[in-house]
Amino acid sequence: MPGTPAQEAAVREVVADAGKYQSDPDRFLPLHTADVEIVNFGGRRVAGREALGEAMRAALASPLADVVTAVEITGVRFPREGVAVVAAVKRVHDAREEPDGGGPALPAASGQLTYLLVEEGDGAWRISLAQTTPTTS
């Protein structure tokens, strides 16, 4: 079941906003459902918007604040009404000073990112799941 052009545009906008606000919890967190699940580049799973906010604020207060990402959408599909699956490539720029205090190096400089977005009762599309798998190329 294909989504409408307006639905696809709305989904793409949420993904773009997630990238734009990756260092701004007040704008980033509302893009996610209350029960969001995130599996990050390093394999850490975070469940719930509140826990995501805590993890995000801790990361931004650490050398991880110097790790920024860019996301390129490679496809959007709508398996059912109100559900969108977004395939993307995530590219990571790690500007931390290594090794003192920078923490372990990231597993790769890019990864395959899959988002699951849902259209909620207020008509807004929100990220319900994000999973990044590091790639070597």
Side-chain angles (χ1 to χ4, degrees), residues 21-80:
Y21 302 128
Q22 64 186 290
S23 297
D24 183 349
D26 292 334
R27 296 184 86 176
F28 181 81
L29 294 170
L31 300 172
H32 298 78
T33 62
D35 62 349
V36 65
E37 292 224 10
I38 305 288
V39 180
N40 73 9
F41 215 70
R44 179 179 178 203
R45 179 179 299 274
V46 178
R49 189 167 42 211
E50 186 175 319
L52 177 59
E54 291 171 14
M56 185 178 186
R57 287 180 179 91
L60 290 170
S62 79
L64 287 174
D66 294 325
V67 177
V68 294
T69 63
V71 172
E72 175 188 345
I73 295 175
T74 58
V76 177
R77 64 184 179 87
F78 295 85
R80 65 177 354 155

Side-chain angles (χ1 to χ4, degrees), residues 11 14 29-34 36 49 82 84 116-129:
V11 165
V14 171
L29 294 170
L31 300 172
H32 298 78
T33 62
V36 65
R49 189 167 42 211
L116 177 71
L117 284 84
V118 296
E119 188 176 24
E120 295 201 306
D122 62 359
W125 286 90
R126 290 191 178 85
I127 298 166
S128 179
L129 175 71

Side-chain angles (χ1 to χ4, degrees), residues 41 88-92 108-113 132-135 137:
F41 215 70
V89 175
K90 178 185 257 188
R91 291 185 177 76
V92 180
S110 65
Q112 294 296 316
L113 171 59
T132 304
T133 302
T135 56
S137 56

Side-chain angles (χ1 to χ4, degrees), residues 2 12 100:
R12 286 178 177 272
D100 356 279

